[in-house]
Amino acid sequence: MLSPLLISTKLVQPITTGVIPRPRLYGLLDTGVAQPLTLISAPPGFGKTMLVADWSYAHRQKDIAWLSLDESDNQLFGFWRYFISALRRLHPELGNIALELLSVPSPPAIEQVVATLINDLVEFSKELILVLDDYHQIQSLEIHNSLAFWLDHQPQNFHLIILTREDPPLGLARRRANRQMVEIRATDLRFTLEECEAFLYHVMGLQLTPQQVSLLEQATEGWIVGIQMAALSLQKSDAHAFFEAFSGRDRYIADYLIEEVLQVQSEKVRNFLLKTSILDRMSDSLCTALTGETDISLADLERTNLFVIALDTNCTWYRYHHLFADLLRQRLVATFPAEEIALLRRTASIWCESTGDILQAIRYAQQIPDAERVTHLLDRHVVLFFYQNELPQLVTLARTLPQEIRTHYPHLCMAIAWAVVALYQNPQEWLAEIERFFGQCAEAALSDLSLDQNRRSALLEVLIARLQSSLHDFTAIPQDTLRAIYAQFEHLPDDQVCLFNTVGNLRPVLIYNLGLAEEANGNLAQAVKHFRETVSLSRRLQNFHLLHFALGHLGNLEITQSHLQAARRTFEEALSELQAGSVSPYVCVTQVGLGDLHYEWGNLTEAEQYYREAVHVARLWNHWDSMVPALCGLARIRHRQGDTRAALDLLSELESVPFASMRLSIEALRVLWQAQRGECHPAEAWLTTNLPTLKAQVSLTAEATMLDAARLMLCIGQVETGTQLAQQLAETSFSRGHIRITIQARVVQARGLSLQGLEPEALSTLSEALKLAEPEHYLSSFLDEGEPLSALLAKLNTNPYALQLLVVMRNPMEHPYKRETGGLLTEREIDVLHLVSEGLTNQQIASHLVISLPTVKTHISNIYNKLGVENRTQAIKRAQDLGLIPRS
């Protein structure tokens, strides 16, 4: 369904009436379809739109989508939302993921969105044509660059037609030299003498002499709209007198002709044309609201060839020819007082609001200009922008509001603040406006006992919104403030209105924040409690975004507590809640968690697949909380495989991480691996600078980084200090219930003790780690310590688990924790194979499994190679014979 913030008539091909056949130009258009681009560039009035529309109706067997652009389309994501919606009007199955990416609070880089749409079309079997009409309205360099990117990578089954008054900056010289485009210019579009005669006779119903037709054609140089305006005057005037007055010496005769056209209309029609010229799109009902006229029909005006163009097949919506509208508006300003024109725009704005066309209502209010009404419209309808995920557009509109008006609309300011938070921006300027409205800071809600419940609730929402900017860096979460807000919420009913939200809607957000704070503080039991409560409340409120984030954090905490199988079930629960084809950051949270589990169990192929899928989605969303662990996971795999250079290269992709705690963990890995290659000086400097900071922190991230610091000390010869650090970490993490870190710290401690010659203590410590690790089948926590640990394990020859680990360390392919697939296919390849057997396309498989299209193709290629087959049919039969999938 089309978003109510998108105008459906912009996606409808104009209806052609009063046109003459132009086979010579149709031939050019037919030729152009074989190239990526057809450019039709000419000044106004040369019939660009009518030519392509008429050609399109003659080629109805082709799938031709249409998008009419205007000046409001200069917002990058808005432009591409319309672009995709135009294609989906013909084929709703296209562009699902790309459209969702554009609708998220913080959209990814536009190249990622465009690439996703291109991949969609590559899988599409039909040929598609898209017409971009009035492209000269686009002034945004971002849009030009993104469309040039599209043209550079456009699938072969797609053709773009651009109609414009001026050449766009799309690398036309290069495309022309490479024969990648067909051009139709003004010289091609102008009427020939024969076409001029046919138009005047068959369309306009005029009986002119050959000499008069020739004079008109020469004077206008075949300019179509000029010929049409002259014909309108000739219909109601003496031909001899007209040609006496009409010299045609000026190439641009519009001013003269508009005067002639208006003069031959009745006063009622003349006023109707002038007053309705302010409208971008018009219906009879809207025109009546503006003019009070009930007996003038737009359909009748169209039939008289008065430059009215139908925008839908129902003949409900119309627009004027752009040049005609421009000339009418100029005459309107010269004829009517400014106050009356402002009233017309206000009437149009009110009418559009009453019909639910909120963006158009805002646009007419901006043209008055009436900032108060714009603010009123945004305040009343702001929730619509949230429902449709049009938050960038909302914030852009809000920033145009004068500050003296903003302060009087606290509800709107609160909504904008939440939109800004969702876009990863600072909401302070909007929250300050609310505090200015109330005349006090939001913290008063926690201490001023004289506040009534409504004011207290409003200020509490301000506090919650302000806290969100600290949640990306766990070390900065103000836990005391969170607990104080929570205490206040205990006494408020769920239906209590704050500003933009109710207490009931904010409660799971607050509880989730408390869970993050407890997690950062190392209090796992409390964190788990808060996340489980968040899951319950979010499910009831159908806040699926928060639901999946809470499940993701629950799974990660279960890993921390060494409940690995429980974590797997939690992540699978999160994926089961996911709608097919959806792309959201909570997907990569779950994918990272599953990658960590498979890495720990030694399933490196499955781990790499999950990490790569997580990186793909995290990059789309700029979601650092998943990007960092996913890329670090991939780097650990490369390091395990002996390719330290590749591992360091992967870490270098994280140099722009904006959060200090994340940067510290990445740096620790980097200097550790450099030290293992003999580069010890950076390690010593890093430890001197950062170890005191790490010891002062208690977060899970800090614990993992401290463990790498202990490994680093062993590597550079600070063995005793490193061993002590590992022992301290093992003891504190065990007391907090952080069993996974405890296991890993005990392993590092055992290595340190062994290096000091304390073998009995080393073996005892290692035995403790084995006892904790065996129930959940830990593997990589031992394998990552390398050959020195292998020697220690060999001395525990009476410990069955130690012997199992030793077998795997000596032959990584021989471990017992892989899924039972005969060792032939990975877990993910089995999933893909099942969907292949169900007849799903590659794109459908990508949407179903929430992975990228290239990843699907890689899986299928691996399946073919492993099964020794060449196509899907052979793969299905071979898999059924091997018992990998059931027979249908």
Side-chain angles (χ1 to χ4, degrees):
M1 185 178 68
L2 192 67
S3 162
L5 295 180
L6 297 181
I7 301 168
S8 60
T9 52
K10 294 174 64 167
L11 309 180
V12 178
Q13 180 177 304
I15 308 299
T16 57
T17 58
V19 297
I20 60 169
R22 309 194 73 187
R24 61 187 179 86
L25 296 180
Y26 299 159
L28 286 175
L29 288 167
D30 290 337
T31 302
V33 172
Q35 306 299 329
L37 172 66
T38 294
L39 178 71
I40 305 179
S41 181
F46 274 92
K48 300 181 290 291
T49 299
M50 287 298 102
L51 169 69
V52 178
D54 195 47
W55 170 81
S56 174
Y57 279 113
H59 292 73
R60 292 189 180 182
Q61 72 276 14
K62 295 182 180 292
D63 285 341
I64 303 176
W66 196 282
L67 172 55
S68 297
L69 299 164
D70 57 45
E71 62 184 13
S72 69
D73 295 315
N74 277 281
Q75 200 271 335
L76 178 64
F77 297 121
F79 171 87
W80 282 100
R81 191 173 291 110
Y82 268 116
F83 189 104
I84 297 168
S85 296
L87 300 180
R88 284 168 58 82
R89 192 169 183 272
L90 294 179
H91 297 285
E93 69 274 22
L94 285 175
N96 286 325
I97 294 178
L99 195 59
E100 184 169 349
L101 289 174
L102 289 172
S103 299
V104 300
S106 182
I110 194 62
E111 289 79 11
Q112 297 279 0
V113 179
V114 173
T116 301
L117 181 60
I118 289 171
N119 290 336
D120 235 8
L121 287 171
V122 167
E123 289 290 304
F124 194 65
S125 59
K126 296 183 178 180
E127 291 190 1
L128 280 173
I129 298 170
L130 175 62
V131 180
L132 296 181
D133 196 3
D134 292 326
Y135 189 78
H136 56 272
Q137 297 278 6
I138 301 301
Q139 301 299 317
S140 165
L141 185 59
E142 284 184 313
I143 294 177
H144 292 319
N145 290 340
S146 65
L147 192 61
F149 177 85
W150 169 273
L151 285 167
D152 289 340
H153 301 88
Q154 183 172 289
Q156 291 185 349
N157 60 337
F158 187 90
H159 180 70
L160 188 65
I161 300 177
I162 293 179
L163 314 184
T164 180
R165 295 182 183 180
E166 56 193 41
D167 284 5
L170 298 175
L172 298 182
R174 170 171 57 86
R175 300 184 199 285
R176 187 179 296 117
N178 293 333
R179 297 183 179 179
Q180 295 174 336
M181 59 183 287
V182 167
E183 298 173 80
I184 299 177
R185 299 282 178 175
T187 53
D188 305 302
L189 291 167
R190 63 178 85 252
F191 271 173
T192 64
L193 181 61
E194 292 75 16
E195 289 171 332
C196 182
E197 183 177 22
F199 175 77
L200 292 170
Y201 179 75
H202 294 291
V203 177
M204 303 306 296
L206 293 173
Q207 299 289 339
L208 300 179
T209 66
Q211 293 79 6
Q212 289 172 331
V213 172
S214 178
L215 175 61
L216 190 55
E217 186 272 330
Q218 292 174 22
T220 59
E221 297 182 2
W223 183 40
I224 298 171
V225 77
I227 295 170
Q228 186 177 356
M229 283 196 280
L232 285 169
S233 297
L234 282 165
Q235 286 177 335
K236 299 185 179 181
S237 62
D238 178 70
H240 179 75
F242 176 86
F243 283 106
E244 284 289 321
F246 175 50
S247 64
R249 286 188 296 270
D250 184 359
R251 163 67 182 81
Y252 295 101
I253 57 175
D255 287 341
Y256 171 81
L257 290 174
I258 190 68
E259 180 67 29
E260 289 295 307
V261 170
L262 288 177
Q263 286 303 320
V264 298
Q265 307 301 322
S266 67
E267 183 177 358
K268 180 189 290 186
V269 171
R270 190 161 54 244
N271 283 334
F272 181 95
L273 294 173
L274 293 174
K275 289 180 178 180
T276 56
S277 67
I278 69 161
L279 301 173
D280 299 313
R281 282 162 291 278
M282 53 192 175
S283 66
D284 284 332
S285 176
L286 175 54
C287 291
T288 299
L290 258 65
T291 65
E293 299 291 348
T294 59
D295 56 351
I296 298 179
S297 161
L298 292 169
D300 290 340
L301 295 181
E302 183 196 17
R303 279 191 289 272
T304 60
N305 295 301
L306 204 53
F307 302 100
V308 175
I309 299 170
L311 296 177
D312 57 33
T313 55
N314 297 325
C315 294
T316 301
W317 288 96
Y318 296 81
R319 68 169 173 84
Y320 290 121
H321 186 288
H322 294 310
L323 178 61
F324 189 62
D326 290 342
L327 296 170
L328 286 174
R329 287 170 191 148
Q330 293 173 19
R331 187 56 52 90
L332 174 72
V333 171
T335 306
F336 287 82
E339 296 80 5
E340 189 167 348
I341 297 173
L343 180 60
L344 289 171
R345 291 190 168 120
R346 185 181 306 280
T347 303
S349 177
I350 293 170
W351 187 93
C352 288
E353 182 188 12
S354 71
T355 60
D357 191 352
I358 305 306
L359 280 182
Q360 198 63 40
I362 291 171
R363 186 172 178 182
Y364 288 132
Q366 288 177 319
Q367 291 171 357
I368 295 175
D370 186 346
E372 187 73 48
R373 173 156 178 78
V374 172
T375 310
H376 166 80
L377 285 166
L378 284 175
D379 186 49
R380 176 178 289 184
H381 302 286
V382 68
V383 71
L384 183 63
F385 291 84
F386 281 83
Y387 285 152
Q388 298 299 326
N389 279 322
E390 297 282 357
L391 300 189
Q393 188 169 21
L394 172 62
V395 173
T396 299
L397 287 169
R399 294 199 189 284
T400 66
L401 304 177
Q403 185 171 359
E404 61 271 17
I405 294 179
R406 295 180 188 178
T407 306
H408 300 292
Y409 288 84
H411 166 266
L412 176 60
C413 288
M414 190 72 251
I416 303 303
W418 283 116
V420 167
V421 165
L423 296 172
Y424 297 98
Q425 300 170 13
N426 192 328
Q428 181 52 35
E429 66 171 304
W430 300 98
L431 300 177
E433 296 289 358
I434 299 171
E435 291 174 318
R436 194 173 294 116
F437 173 83
F438 286 111
Q440 59 189 148
C441 66
E443 284 72 12
L446 304 177
S447 58
D448 189 344
L449 300 179
S450 66
L451 294 181
D452 63 51
Q453 184 166 294
N454 291 335
R455 176 172 288 216
R456 185 182 307 280
S457 301
L459 293 176
L460 286 172
E461 183 171 1
V462 173
L463 281 178
I464 293 172
R466 183 171 284 150
L467 289 173
Q468 303 311 304
S469 59
S470 66
L471 297 180
H472 299 289
D473 189 347
F474 282 1
T475 61
I477 297 177
Q479 299 178 37
D480 291 341
T481 303
L482 277 171
R483 293 191 182 98
I485 297 171
Y486 185 77
Q488 293 288 336
F489 264 49
E490 290 285 277
H491 306 292
L492 294 172
D494 280 352
D495 59 357
Q496 169 65 44
V497 176
C498 299
L499 276 172
F500 184 61
N501 287 284
T502 64
V503 166
N505 288 333
L506 288 174
R507 198 181 300 278
V509 176
L510 180 59
I511 294 171
Y512 175 73
N513 292 169
L514 284 167
L516 293 178
E518 297 291 2
E519 181 181 350
N521 204 34
N523 299 324
L524 266 58
Q526 282 299 311
V528 167
K529 175 187 174 184
H530 289 314
F531 288 138
R532 290 199 184 282
E533 190 175 357
T534 303
V535 168
S536 176
L537 290 173
S538 300
R539 200 172 261 133
R540 191 178 74 204
L541 294 170
Q542 295 188 323
N543 186 341
F544 295 111
H545 192 76
L546 193 57
L547 167 66
H548 288 86
F549 268 125
L551 284 171
H553 278 276
L554 267 178
N556 287 331
L557 291 183
E558 287 167 335
I559 291 176
T560 300
Q561 295 171 306
S562 194
H563 304 318
L564 304 192
Q565 293 296 340
R568 178 182 59 79
R569 290 190 293 271
T570 298
F571 292 136
E572 288 174 352
E573 179 187 354
L575 288 179
S576 71
E577 298 272 3
L578 183 65
Q579 294 180 348
S582 179
V583 178
S584 294
Y586 54 70
V587 177
C588 46
V589 171
T590 299
Q591 289 165 332
V592 168
L594 288 168
D596 288 345
L597 289 173
H598 282 285
Y599 180 82
E600 184 58 66
W601 289 329
N603 304 331
L604 297 191
T605 302
E606 287 91 336
E608 180 167 353
Q609 289 166 357
Y610 279 118
Y611 285 143
R612 289 197 180 281
E613 291 163 11
V615 168
H616 172 70
V617 179
R619 278 180 174 149
L620 292 177
W621 282 72
N622 296 319
H623 193 254
W624 291 108
D625 290 342
S626 296
M627 180 90 75
V628 171
L631 279 173
C632 286
L634 288 171
R636 290 181 191 278
I637 291 173
R638 292 291 168 268
H639 184 257
R640 167 86 70 80
Q641 294 168 338
D643 193 348
T644 302
R645 179 69 266 161
L648 291 170
D649 287 344
L650 284 164
L651 293 185
S652 68
E653 295 185 35
L654 295 169
E655 291 176 353
S656 58
V657 171
F659 307 115
S661 60
M662 293 182 185
R663 287 197 300 271
L664 203 57
S665 65
I666 298 162
E667 291 165 4
L669 261 186
R670 180 183 294 112
V671 295
L672 172 61
W673 291 340
Q674 288 172 337
Q676 290 171 348
R677 297 198 307 179
E679 303 170 29
C680 295
H681 179 70
E684 294 169 351
W686 185 88
L687 286 169
T688 301
T689 303
N690 296 297
L691 196 56
T693 302
L694 279 172
K695 288 182 176 180
Q697 297 178 9
V698 293
S699 70
L700 295 174
T701 302
E703 286 183 340
T705 307
M706 283 180 66
L707 188 57
D708 280 333
R711 292 186 177 106
L712 185 57
M713 290 175 177
L714 299 186
C715 184
I716 64 175
Q718 299 178 15
V719 177
E720 185 174 352
T721 306
T723 305
Q724 290 174 352
L725 181 60
Q727 179 180 351
Q728 293 168 3
L729 184 57
E731 291 169 353
T732 56
S733 62
F734 185 78
S735 68
R736 294 171 181 160
H738 302 181
I739 307 304
R740 188 188 188 200
I741 288 289
T742 303
I743 293 169
Q744 295 170 339
R746 287 298 187 202
V747 173
V748 175
Q749 181 190 353
R751 275 188 54 214
L753 290 168
S754 178
L755 288 171
Q756 295 176 69
L758 304 172
E759 187 170 289
E761 291 88 343
L763 293 176
S764 175
T765 301
L766 184 56
S767 294
E768 289 182 37
L770 290 168
K771 183 178 179 180
L772 292 172
E774 184 175 6
E776 295 288 344
H777 305 303
Y778 279 76
L779 188 62
S780 290
S781 291
F782 297 89
L783 266 63
D784 283 346
E785 301 306 322
E787 184 56 35
L789 191 69
S790 177
L792 275 179
L793 287 169
K795 295 176 182 179
L796 293 173
N797 52 22
T798 60
N799 187 315
Y801 191 53
L803 295 177
Q804 287 181 19
L805 291 173
L806 207 57
V807 169
V808 178
M809 292 181 82
R810 291 170 178 170
N811 185 358
M813 296 304 294
E814 297 294 333
H815 70 87
Y817 316 123
K818 281 187 175 289
R819 177 171 162 177
E820 293 299 326
T821 60
L824 188 60
L825 300 181
T826 67
E827 180 178 354
R828 188 54 113 186
E829 287 165 355
I830 289 289
D831 293 337
V832 170
L833 190 55
H834 274 286
L835 297 177
V836 167
S837 70
E838 293 173 13
L840 272 66
T841 66
N842 288 357
Q843 184 61 61
Q844 290 169 329
I845 293 172
S847 297
H848 186 87
L849 296 178
V850 200
I851 58 179
S852 67
L853 185 62
T855 300
V856 173
K857 292 179 178 178
T858 299
H859 287 321
I860 291 178
S861 176
N862 291 338
I863 291 169
Y864 288 176
N865 290 334
K866 291 179 179 181
L867 297 182
V869 299
E870 297 180 351
N871 56 49
R872 285 178 167 230
T873 302
Q874 293 175 358
I876 293 168
K877 185 178 186 306
R878 175 69 171 147
Q880 289 171 340
D881 291 343
L882 292 171
L884 299 178
I885 59 174
R887 296 187 184 276
S888 55

